[in-house]
Amino acid sequence: MVRVKKMNESLFAKLHKELTIAGELIRARQEEKQGLLDEFDQESKRYFFGKISQRALVSSVKKTNNELKRLDKTIREAIGRLRSVADRATKLGSAQAPIGFRATMTGIIGGKAKKKVTKKKKITKKKTVKKKVVRKKASKKKKK
């Protein structure tokens, strides 16, 4: 009896869930970053109008920059995780490429997966470069 490929649906569902989680994490960190930027904008306006001192603004700048670096790092990590999970999902999906079958009067024909076509690399010979031999001239000693 002929069998058709079946996708591992539970694995695909798990990958889909991981994709959703990574996407939500990225969105949440971006919203947190936007809130931090808005908060700092308010601080700088307060300094401009003389409500807070320069020392307080400097402290706020340091704190904000550290927090921005932390958020950027977590966003990059989440993007990397997202890329990795997406690659696994793509690999799982592309493994489901259909195998060609045909029904005939004598039965079913086919069932062989197509072979992957690989391009042969051209082998190029390296050119040999002749090195010039530099000879030092013997220095003549002057006689006194």
Side-chain angles (χ1 to χ4, degrees):
M1 185 171 155
V2 178
R3 291 242 174 224
V4 178
K5 288 183 182 178
K6 290 186 180 180
M7 182 184 286
N8 185 346
E9 292 179 28
S10 63
L11 177 61
F12 191 77
K14 181 182 171 189
L15 292 173
H16 183 266
K17 187 176 180 180
E18 285 183 47
L19 280 171
T20 305
I21 290 169
E24 287 175 355
L25 179 68
I26 291 170
R27 183 185 49 79
R29 293 300 176 253
Q30 287 172 335
E31 287 176 357
E32 188 177 344
K33 185 176 178 180
Q34 184 62 49
L36 185 65
L37 292 171
D38 292 342
E39 185 180 309
F40 181 75
D41 191 39
Q42 293 296 322
E43 288 284 320
S44 62
K45 284 181 183 176
R46 288 178 64 207
Y47 170 73
F48 180 75
F49 291 118
K51 305 269 182 179
I52 60 172
S53 67
Q54 185 176 4
R55 180 184 258 176
L57 184 65
V58 168
S59 173
S60 180
V61 166
K62 287 181 183 178
K63 182 188 87 171
T64 302
N65 284 336
N66 288 339
E67 195 65 20
L68 286 171
K69 285 179 187 177
R70 183 188 67 79
L71 288 171
D72 286 345
K73 182 181 176 185
T74 57
I75 290 171
R76 276 192 212 95
E77 288 171 354
I79 289 171
R81 210 172 308 118
L82 184 74
R83 186 177 295 120
S84 136
V85 173
D87 288 345
R88 282 189 284 157
T90 303
K91 191 173 181 180
L92 179 66
S94 62
Q96 305 306 312
I99 298 172
F101 291 102
R102 242 183 9 187
T104 63
M105 294 295 283
T106 58
I108 296 175
I109 297 175
K112 294 181 183 175
K114 289 187 177 179
K115 292 182 181 177
K116 291 183 181 179
V117 178
T118 56
K119 293 182 180 179
K120 292 183 180 178
K121 292 184 181 179
K122 292 182 180 178
I123 299 173
T124 57
K125 292 183 179 179
K126 293 183 181 179
K127 294 181 180 178
T128 56
V129 179
K130 293 181 181 178
K131 294 184 180 179
K132 293 182 180 179
V133 177
V134 179
R135 294 184 182 167
K136 293 184 180 180
K137 293 182 180 180
S139 62
K140 296 180 182 178
K141 293 184 181 179
K142 294 183 181 180
K143 294 182 181 179
K144 290 186 181 178

